[in-house]
């Protein structure tokens, strides 16, 4: 690239053991001791800075950005985001130079600068061809929909070959979209290995650390054993991290990575290219590698490919539900136009939902096929088992989502829209899925005590005793009400009983958070979640749109039911998806993070406007092509602005204070030195230094939550001492005689326990 030079250090697959070599070469200057990491604002034992100080810091950063000449585009993830200016990293042909950064705010985490590009070639120019390709592809997608509109008038069937081809196209398009957003946000391709690890903050770093452990171990089985006998994460305890943190995605990715790099080494194909990056501003040069041979690049690429395949499934889903490929394309466009409300995988790739949600889409597609099919094929139920297991294994919240599915299916069975034999098969398949997950997760009892498992048992019991229940009342409506009442009350009672029986109290459930929202109940456990913005209530301006869609769908469903006495498959599917949409809407209203289920499902239901079976009479009255064209034009106005807003988010990760802290720990502490401190920081300490830690940001474990974290949250547990100075503020001034200050910079301070 003009204006810079870049040195090619080496090509190939070497470098997997460099971290261990550096750690082995580091000389410890301290005896084994428990060390605590704090910040200037809070210090040791606080867990993280007081929330009021953190919020003040964020506000100051926002103001600082607003004072810059060119205002950046703010991301939905946080305030520290802007347009990358002239002081970003640039990689030219030989070496890299980065300009002065006088205006860079000294704040932890991803720092994003506002300002104009300064006239030269920069990193943004490197990704602009891909952005132009994305824009052209989206335009082509719109044109493709418009070209196929006349075919709806003579619609008979659709070609699966064309469906798969279009599905592959939109899958690649979504993969490119995610890759572009992620690269623009962090400048990930130009970061060093340590900087890339620091971008995986909080629990993301914890998950990635196990992938790193398994690929750096002498063998895959040795790495798996180290993960299942983890001595670093909750020192001095030894835990099975696969069972505790749902790490099957990391296990599979580590196996694939070792297989890939081993195969490429064997046949002599290079897998990565490394460069020397000069960062300027007195910072040491770093090594930056690109290619699938780099662990972080491989890890991120697999996640984005999986979510690209998810878009393929969405297209097939919309096509199958509506009976038209245009319906599938409308689903895809609705998803893209509301991308920021549908997923956050581009900002937080290692989270469990990034691995789990694509299989939820597959599971919904399969259950839709099972409900539509008049035959009970064995292969369909086997596919349902596989999708259930793949959905539940990576994510602890998946069971509650499947519970909402049962809550949608049971009323349909009660009123006779699902045959008892088919529904009993669905119940059996779900029970088998839970049993498989229970075994694969080494006897994790949360699978047995979940609302999902309880609902399956109660459903089976009601089906077996249905004739006896029916004798209690002669009225059909009363019979329906009794069954639904028994289902809800029985599920709740059985869930509480099983939790007590299996002594399961560690995991926070979505039901607990919803209950806390409804009853305005707060304690330390619920506040650990609900204080985060993604667990807040949904924005009020969105709720009327949801209510309108629900009321419209309910009105149409009622008319369709009155006109359709035979309960044919299209009507059954409409009722099921309407009930499921209602369940997702309730979840999203109380927990904003769960919009990732609501918004995509609304996109899928949007495909039904192309269903001639549902809207056949409507098609006869108006020219349907004109109607869809008008609808797409209205959607595209705001949708295109949403896409432009996402593409305009350009930033660069930099966290010099934390990098200095991690380098100091590597070079000045022994490998068996134990650390405690802010939970997000502890994840980075474990990931990048391989030192033992005593607390981490995986909030689901009950044994970790009662520790000191946020002052406001702890005040709920200890109101008697709320007005007294915190231990953290006292230790910052003088930690003697119990602590000795060992390290200090602008953001962090390390104390040694005397």
């Amino acid at each position: 690239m003009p204006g810079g030079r870049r040195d090619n250090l080496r090509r190939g697959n070497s470098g997997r053991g460099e971290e261990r070599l550096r750690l082995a070469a580091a000389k410890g200057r301290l005896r084994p001791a428990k060390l605590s990491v704090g910040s200037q604002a809070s210090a040791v034992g606080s867990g993280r800075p007081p929330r009021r100080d953190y919020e003040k810091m964020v506000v100051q950063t926002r103001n600082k950005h607003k004072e810059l000449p060119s205002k950046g585009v703010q991301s939905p993830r946080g305030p520290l985001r802007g347009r990358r200016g002239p002081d970003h990293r640039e990689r030219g042909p030989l070496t890299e130079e980065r300009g002065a950064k006088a205006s860079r705010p000294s704040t932890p985490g991803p720092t994003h600068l506002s300002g104009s590009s300064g006239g030269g070639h920069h990193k943004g120019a490197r990704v602009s061809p891909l952005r132009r390709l994305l824009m052209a592809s989206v335009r082509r997608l719109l044109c493709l929909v418009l070209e196929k509109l006349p075919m709806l008038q003579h619609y008979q069937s659709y070609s699966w070959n064309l469906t798969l081809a279009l599905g592959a196209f939109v899958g690649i398009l979504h993969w490119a979209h995610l890759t572009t957003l992620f690269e623009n946000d962090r400048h990930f391709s130009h970061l060093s290995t340590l900087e890339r690890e620091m971008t995986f903050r909080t629990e993301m770093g914890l998950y990635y650390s196990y992938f790193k452990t398994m690929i750096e171990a002498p063998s895959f089985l040795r790495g798996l054993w180290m993960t299942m006998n983890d001595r670093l994460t909750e020192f001095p305890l030894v835990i099975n991290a696969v069972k505790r943190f749902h790490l099957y995605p990391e296990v599979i990715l580590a196996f694939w990575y070792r297989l890939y790099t081993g195969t490429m080494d064997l046949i002599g194909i290079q897998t990565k290219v490394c460069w020397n990056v000069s960062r300027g501003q007195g910072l040491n040069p770093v090594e930056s590698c690109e290619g699938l041979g780099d662990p972080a690049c491989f890890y991120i690429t697999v996640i984005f490919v999986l979510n690209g395949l998810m878009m393929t499934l969405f297209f097939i889903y919309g096509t199958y539900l509506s009976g038209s490929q245009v319906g599938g394309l409308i689903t895809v466009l609705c998803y893209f136009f509301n991308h920021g409300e549908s997923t956050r995988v581009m900002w937080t790739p290692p989270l469990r939902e990034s691995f789990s949600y694509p299989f939820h889409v597959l599971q919904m597609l399969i259950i839709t096929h099972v409900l539509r099919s008049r035959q009970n094929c064995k292969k369909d139920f086997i596919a349902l088992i596989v999708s259930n297991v793949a959905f539940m294994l990576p994510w602890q919240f998946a069971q509650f989502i499947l519970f909402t599915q049962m809550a949608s299916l049971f009323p349909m069975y009660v009123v006779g829209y699902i045959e008892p034999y088919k529904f009993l098969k669905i119940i059996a398949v779900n029970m088998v899925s839970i049993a498989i997950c229970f075994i694969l997760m080494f006897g994790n009892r949360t699978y047995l005590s979940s609302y999902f498992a309880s609902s399956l048992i109660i459903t089976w019991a009601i089906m077996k005793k249905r004739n006896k229940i029916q004798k209690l009342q002669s009225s059909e409506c009363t019979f329906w009400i009794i069954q639904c009442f028994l289902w809800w009350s029985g599920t709740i009672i059985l869930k509480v009983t099983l939790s007590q029986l299996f002594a399961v109290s560690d995991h926070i459930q979505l039901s607990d958070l919803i209950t806390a929202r409804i009853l305005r109940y707060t304690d330390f456990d619920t506040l650990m979640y609900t204080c985060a913005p993604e667990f807040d209530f949904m924005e009020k301006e969105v709720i009327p749109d949801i209510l309108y869609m629900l009321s419209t769908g309910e009105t149409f469903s009622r008319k369709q039911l009155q006109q359709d006495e035979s309960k044919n498959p299209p009507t059954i599917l409409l009722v099921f998806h309407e009930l499921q949409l209602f369940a997702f809407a309730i979840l999203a209203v109380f927990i904003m993070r769960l919009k990732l289920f609501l918004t995509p499902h609304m996109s899928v239901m949007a495909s039904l406007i192309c269903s001639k079976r549902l809207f056949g009479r409507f098609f006869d009255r108006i020219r349907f092509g004109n109607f869809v064209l008008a609808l797409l034009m209205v959607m595209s106005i705001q949708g295109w602005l949403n896409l432009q807003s996402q593409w305009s988010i350009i930033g660069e990760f930099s966290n010099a204070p934390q990098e200095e802290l991690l380098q100091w720990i590597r070079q000045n502490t022994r490998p068996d030195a134990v650390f405690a401190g802010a939970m997000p920081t502890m994840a980075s300490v474990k990931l990048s230094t391989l030192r033992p830690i005593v607390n981490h940001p995986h909030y689901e474990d009950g044994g970790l939550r009662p520790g000191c974290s946020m002052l406001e949250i702890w005040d709920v547990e200890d109101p008697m001492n709320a007005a007294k100075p915190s231990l953290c503020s006292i230790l910052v001034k003088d930690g003697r005689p119990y602590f000795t200050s060992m390290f200090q910079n602008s953001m962090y301070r390390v104390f040694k326990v005397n």
Side-chain angles (χ1 to χ4, degrees):
M1 187 174 294
R5 295 168 46 234
R6 176 165 70 173
D7 293 330
N8 190 344
L9 294 181
R10 70 170 178 276
R11 301 171 183 262
N13 304 322
S14 61
R16 200 163 60 195
E18 292 175 1
E19 185 70 15
R20 294 198 303 272
L21 292 176
R22 285 196 296 269
L23 291 173
K27 296 182 179 180
R29 294 188 298 196
L30 295 175
R31 294 177 297 175
K34 179 177 291 189
L35 301 181
S36 300
V37 180
S39 70
Q40 288 287 66
S42 62
V44 60
S46 66
R48 67 177 67 177
R51 190 176 182 184
R52 61 179 69 92
D53 294 339
Y54 175 75
E55 290 177 343
K56 182 178 180 182
M57 176 193 70
V58 171
V59 172
Q60 290 174 346
T61 305
R62 286 178 175 172
N63 293 338
K64 190 169 186 177
H65 283 186
K66 290 179 180 179
E67 293 169 2
L68 293 174
S70 176
K71 184 185 296 184
V73 178
Q74 189 164 327
S75 156
R77 286 201 310 118
L80 302 181
R81 191 162 325 281
R83 189 175 301 277
R84 187 158 55 235
D87 49 351
H88 54 272
R89 304 181 186 212
E90 299 178 352
R91 292 203 297 196
L94 297 178
T95 63
E96 279 197 42
E97 296 295 334
R98 183 163 60 180
K101 299 189 175 180
S103 63
R104 178 182 292 269
S106 299
T107 53
T111 303
H112 304 269
L113 304 176
S114 300
S116 59
S117 60
H121 291 278
H122 55 84
K123 176 60 190 170
R126 185 171 182 263
V127 297
S128 58
L130 183 57
R131 177 179 171 181
R132 288 195 297 269
L133 177 62
L134 283 171
M135 296 174 66
S137 299
V138 174
R139 291 193 186 100
R140 178 57 185 162
L141 190 61
L142 285 169
C143 294
L144 188 62
V145 175
L146 299 180
E147 289 173 3
K148 288 183 67 66
L149 285 178
M151 298 174 58
L152 283 176
Q153 304 297 331
H154 309 285
Y155 169 82
Q156 296 295 332
S157 62
Y158 50 83
S159 168
W160 275 110
N161 292 333
L162 180 59
T163 299
L164 294 177
L166 290 174
F169 169 72
V170 298
I172 295 173
L173 187 64
H174 191 232
W175 164 79
H177 182 61
L178 295 175
T179 303
T180 300
L181 294 179
F182 183 76
E183 171 62 23
N184 286 353
D185 179 61
R186 288 171 171 81
H187 211 186
F188 196 75
S189 63
H190 284 52
L191 300 180
S192 66
T193 299
L194 178 58
E195 288 174 316
R196 287 173 178 173
E197 291 176 353
M198 288 192 299
T199 64
F200 300 141
R201 292 181 56 78
T202 64
E203 58 185 302
M204 294 186 290
L206 185 67
Y207 299 137
Y208 182 78
S209 69
Y210 293 105
F211 171 77
K212 179 180 176 181
T213 296
M214 285 182 278
I215 65 173
E216 291 185 348
S219 66
F220 171 74
L221 292 179
R222 175 63 180 174
L224 181 60
W225 184 90
M226 294 170 62
T227 302
M228 295 172 60
N229 297 270
D230 180 23
R231 301 174 181 271
L232 300 180
T233 306
E234 295 183 8
F235 184 88
L237 302 178
V238 179
I239 63 172
N240 184 344
V242 177
K243 176 182 178 180
R244 174 69 66 80
F245 305 127
H246 298 259
L247 293 179
Y248 270 100
E250 280 68 28
V251 173
I252 296 173
L253 263 62
F255 177 78
W256 287 354
Y257 178 82
R258 298 185 73 115
L259 179 65
Y260 168 74
T261 54
T263 303
M264 295 298 104
D265 279 340
L266 185 64
I267 61 181
I269 298 179
Q270 72 176 38
T271 59
K272 65 179 179 179
V273 178
C274 296
W275 310 93
N276 194 30
V277 179
S278 178
R279 299 185 290 175
Q281 204 182 22
L283 298 175
N284 295 329
V286 294
E287 179 182 301
S288 178
C289 299
E290 288 183 290
L292 293 179
D294 180 78
C297 292
F298 181 90
Y299 186 85
I300 294 299
T301 298
V302 173
I303 295 175
F304 289 160
V305 168
L306 176 62
N307 283 266
L309 293 174
M310 179 196 69
M311 188 57 64
T312 300
L313 289 175
F314 267 123
F315 174 77
I316 297 174
Y317 194 177
T319 300
Y320 184 77
L321 187 62
S322 64
S324 168
Q325 290 157 348
V326 174
L329 292 174
I330 288 178
T331 295
V332 171
L333 286 175
C334 288
Y335 191 97
F336 268 100
F337 289 160
N338 299 277
H339 197 268
E341 305 293 328
S342 302
T343 182
R344 57 176 184 167
V345 64
M346 58 281 190
W347 314 130
T348 56
L351 290 185
R352 302 299 84 186
E353 64 203 51
S354 303
F355 296 99
S356 180
Y357 185 77
F359 294 102
H360 168 70
V361 181
L362 176 62
Q363 195 269 349
M364 287 289 292
L365 175 59
I366 294 174
I367 197 69
T368 299
H369 173 68
V370 170
L371 293 176
R372 168 177 282 183
S373 176
R374 298 187 182 275
Q375 299 177 349
N376 297 317
C377 297
K378 184 178 180 180
K379 61 180 181 180
D380 295 338
F381 292 105
I382 294 176
L384 188 58
I385 292 176
V386 173
S387 61
N388 280 344
V389 172
F391 178 43
M392 286 191 289
L393 272 183
W395 198 22
Q396 66 273 19
F397 287 163
Q399 302 170 69
F400 193 82
I401 301 304
L402 292 178
F403 166 68
T404 66
Q405 187 178 97
M406 287 305 305
S408 303
L409 290 174
F410 184 77
M412 297 178 62
Y413 159 75
V414 169
V415 299
Y417 271 83
I418 304 178
E419 302 90 341
Y421 176 75
K422 177 181 289 187
F423 192 48
L424 195 60
K425 292 279 288 186
I426 294 175
I427 298 301
V429 163
N430 287 330
M431 288 182 172
V432 171
S433 302
I434 291 178
I436 293 175
C437 290
F438 177 76
I439 295 172
L440 292 178
M441 290 296 290
F442 309 96
N444 191 327
R445 290 171 292 183
T446 57
Y447 287 99
L448 303 182
S449 62
S450 65
Y451 277 98
F452 181 45
S454 301
S455 68
L456 295 176
I457 297 174
I458 295 299
T459 302
W460 179 82
I462 292 176
M463 293 182 69
K464 290 298 182 181
K465 302 296 181 180
R466 185 177 185 182
N467 292 332
K468 294 184 178 180
I469 299 174
Q470 192 171 13
K471 294 178 181 179
L472 299 177
Q473 289 289 340
S474 58
S475 171
E476 186 178 35
C477 182
T478 306
F479 179 50
W480 293 349
I481 295 175
I482 291 176
Q483 290 182 87
C484 292
F485 173 78
L486 291 176
W487 189 85
W488 279 102
S489 59
T491 298
I492 295 173
I493 294 173
L494 183 59
K495 195 273 181 214
V496 174
T497 303
L498 291 177
S499 297
Q500 296 293 331
L501 180 63
F502 294 121
V504 177
S505 60
D506 284 349
H507 283 65
I508 284 285
Q509 301 287 345
L510 284 177
S511 57
D512 301 327
L513 302 180
I514 295 174
T515 302
R517 288 294 189 191
I518 296 175
L519 301 179
R520 300 291 183 177
Y521 167 75
T522 57
D523 58 14
F524 187 86
D525 294 344
T526 57
L527 283 175
M528 285 294 291
Y529 274 100
T530 55
C531 65
E534 59 266 26
F535 286 94
D536 203 351
F537 287 103
M538 180 184 285
E539 305 94 330
K540 293 181 179 180
E541 59 269 18
V542 180
I543 296 179
D545 297 333
I546 299 174
L547 295 177
Y548 174 77
M549 185 170 186
L550 287 172
S551 61
T552 303
E554 182 182 357
T555 302
F556 180 77
S557 299
R558 186 163 54 249
K559 292 181 179 179
Q560 189 70 17
L561 291 176
Q562 293 172 353
Q563 298 170 1
D564 187 4
E565 299 289 341
S566 61
K567 301 181 178 62
N568 61 36
T571 304
I572 295 174
L573 296 183
L574 178 63
V575 173
F576 166 67
H577 284 85
E578 184 69 24
L579 291 173
Q580 189 67 75
L581 179 67
F582 179 73
F584 288 159
I586 293 176
L587 295 180
V589 167
F590 288 103
I591 301 177
M592 187 166 54
R593 176 181 177 182
L594 297 182
K595 282 195 297 185
L596 75 93
F597 291 100
L598 173 64
T599 308
H601 196 72
M602 293 172 68
S603 301
V604 170
M605 292 196 66
S607 68
L608 291 173
I609 66 173
C610 297
S611 174
K612 294 195 68 175
R613 294 180 179 179
L614 295 177
F615 291 91
R617 297 182 181 180
F618 184 65
F619 294 170
D620 296 336
R621 298 176 183 176
I622 67 169
R623 190 179 182 119
F624 187 67
N626 294 340
F627 171 75
V628 176
L629 175 61
L631 181 65
L632 289 177
M633 291 178 63
V634 174
M635 288 170 47
S636 300
I637 296 174
Q638 184 60 45
W640 188 254
L641 293 177
N642 293 343
L643 287 175
Q644 293 279 18
S645 176
Q646 280 196 319
W647 291 332
S648 299
I649 298 173
I650 301 179
E652 177 179 334
F653 179 88
S654 179
N655 192 345
Q658 188 178 81
E659 181 177 351
E660 183 184 8
L661 168 68
L662 297 176
Q663 294 286 15
W664 180 87
I665 293 175
R666 284 178 174 180
Q667 299 169 6
N668 296 276
T669 65
R670 295 182 55 165
D672 55 357
V674 183
F675 287 82
M679 289 187 282
T681 306
M682 290 302 98
S684 297
V685 169
K686 178 185 181 296
L687 168 60
S688 300
T689 69
L690 302 180
R691 299 301 195 268
I693 59 176
V694 298
N695 62 321
H696 55 75
H698 195 266
Y699 304 132
E700 278 69 31
D701 183 62
L704 293 176
R705 293 196 295 268
C708 178
S709 179
M710 296 183 180
L711 294 180
E712 292 86 352
I713 293 180
W714 187 248
D715 288 344
V716 175
E717 292 290 315
D718 188 16
M720 297 295 296
N721 296 313
K724 297 181 180 180
S726 65
L727 174 65
C728 310
S729 60
I730 296 175
L731 291 178
V732 167
K733 299 177 182 177
D734 187 3
R736 296 174 298 179
Y738 306 105
F739 301 93
T740 301
S741 179
M742 306 300 298
F743 170 84
Q744 179 178 354
N745 65 13
S746 61
M747 188 58 60
Y748 299 98
R749 178 176 290 187
V750 179
F751 293 91
K752 177 184 176 182
V753 180
N754 293 332

